[in-house]
Amino acid sequence: MNISILGCGRWGSFLAWYSTKNKVCVLNMKGLENTSGKRLSLVFKEEIKQENCEVAVWLGPGHVQDFYAGIPSCMIMGSYNFEVTKRLVDIFKSDLIRFYYTQDMIGNEVGAATKNVIGIAAGMLDGAGLSSLKGALMARGTSEVARLIKVMGGNQESAYGLAHLGDYEATLFSTHSNNRQFGEELIKGKKFEKLAEGVYTIKALREVEELYNIELPISHALYEIIFNKKDPKEVTLLGYL
């Protein structure tokens, strides 16, 4: 198998010249399109406009710093074609990564994207000196995401798997988590210079809320603080857990 690594935003202009026919494209990213709330695999298929292209996702917990230090992890490989998923696992498996299979693209893509949102909330709790509330955040956050996955047509049990709950340690507690650090710095009034993907996912979830007529109280609270510049003391997360 020939492996190419591409990085880009919405892929249309970038991939117009790149033929994906009869290829397997693995999306190693987490998020929702912030103008539509669409899953990234859907955006990809819309933009390439080519048949005979299999799309897979590689998701789950893991920081490059940990892998570099030799710390193993468990991750998810998924597509709608089980044989393609098995083939990818055989290619990418190693002593550091144990893969689990999934065909629930909706549940795992949504779960992976939204764990970054919960990571920002966790950072805010850290910044406010309320880290002991992370347990409540984890319980209510997983419940909120499970309801979202169900209404979007996925298996709500995926919220309790590696792509979401299984990624909480790396996202809600790790010093390597940009999303957690963003939330903490925001509460402390400091500027965070790195990319925190969850910020854009929060914006995307506003589209999803309207599209599916679902309430996402934790995400809504974060939107009020980040985008509407509400005082975190007035929009306390505790009222949304």
Side-chain angles (χ1 to χ4, degrees):
M1 171 181 278
N2 293 323
I3 300 174
S4 299
I5 300 175
L6 304 173
C8 42
R10 206 177 214 275
W11 302 279
S13 58
F14 190 85
L15 290 180
W17 55 269
Y18 189 87
S19 174
T20 57
K21 186 176 181 180
N22 297 321
K23 290 183 172 67
V24 177
C25 296
V26 183
L27 304 185
N28 194 264
M29 57 191 76
K30 304 164 183 176
L32 301 172
E33 187 177 47
N34 64 9
T35 57
S36 68
K38 291 181 179 178
R39 294 179 290 118
L40 299 186
S41 65
L42 294 179
V43 175
F44 185 85
K45 292 289 283 187
E46 286 177 1
E47 290 298 319
I48 60 172
K49 297 181 177 67
Q50 295 181 22
E51 298 180 358
N52 301 319
C53 171
E54 295 282 356
V55 178
V57 293
W58 180 343
L59 306 167
H63 290 295
V64 64
Q65 296 92 336
D66 291 335
F67 288 125
Y68 186 76
I71 301 172
S73 186
C74 299
M75 306 190 84
I76 291 268
M77 187 74 77
S79 74
Y80 288 117
N81 187 326
F82 186 67
E83 291 304 316
V84 167
T85 303
K86 287 177 60 179
R87 182 183 174 204
L88 290 171
V89 169
D90 287 340
I91 292 169
F92 290 110
K93 66 183 179 182
S94 73
D95 292 338
L96 285 178
I97 302 177
R98 175 171 179 171
F99 283 104
Y100 289 82
Y101 305 91
T102 185
Q103 288 182 288
D104 180 23
M105 296 283 280
I106 296 174
N108 283 281
E109 284 189 87
V110 173
T114 52
K115 63 92 184 177
N116 289 328
V117 173
I118 306 302
I120 290 176
M124 288 184 178
L125 292 177
D126 286 338
L130 298 172
S131 300
S132 61
L133 286 174
K134 283 187 181 180
L137 175 65
M138 292 167 65
R140 298 311 306 158
T142 307
S143 177
E144 183 170 310
V145 171
R147 289 188 291 104
L148 174 61
I149 290 172
K150 182 178 180 180
V151 80
M152 291 182 73
N155 182 349
Q156 65 185 32
E157 294 299 318
S158 291
Y160 303 94
L162 288 171
H164 187 75
L165 180 61
D167 208 347
Y168 270 9
E169 193 284 329
T171 309
L172 278 65
F173 295 92
S174 175
T175 57
H176 301 313
S177 170
N178 284 351
N179 292 287
R180 191 206 62 78
Q181 289 183 61
F182 171 86
E184 181 175 356
E185 299 293 275
L186 181 67
I187 292 298
K188 292 181 177 179
K190 299 179 181 179
K191 187 175 181 180
F192 187 69
E193 301 290 349
K194 298 179 181 179
L195 172 66
E197 308 99 307
V199 173
Y200 304 98
T201 305
I202 290 168
K203 190 173 182 180
L205 288 175
R206 291 288 286 180
E207 302 294 327
V208 173
E209 279 186 288
E210 294 183 10
L211 182 62
Y212 291 96
N213 192 28
I214 183 174
E215 292 185 359
L216 303 172
I218 296 174
S219 176
H220 180 78
L222 297 178
Y223 186 91
E224 290 296 302
I225 294 169
I226 295 171
F227 291 100
N228 289 336
K229 309 302 180 184
K230 294 290 184 67
D231 187 341
K233 294 179 181 178
E234 296 178 5
V235 189
T236 173
L237 282 172
L238 188 59
Y240 293 88
L241 295 178

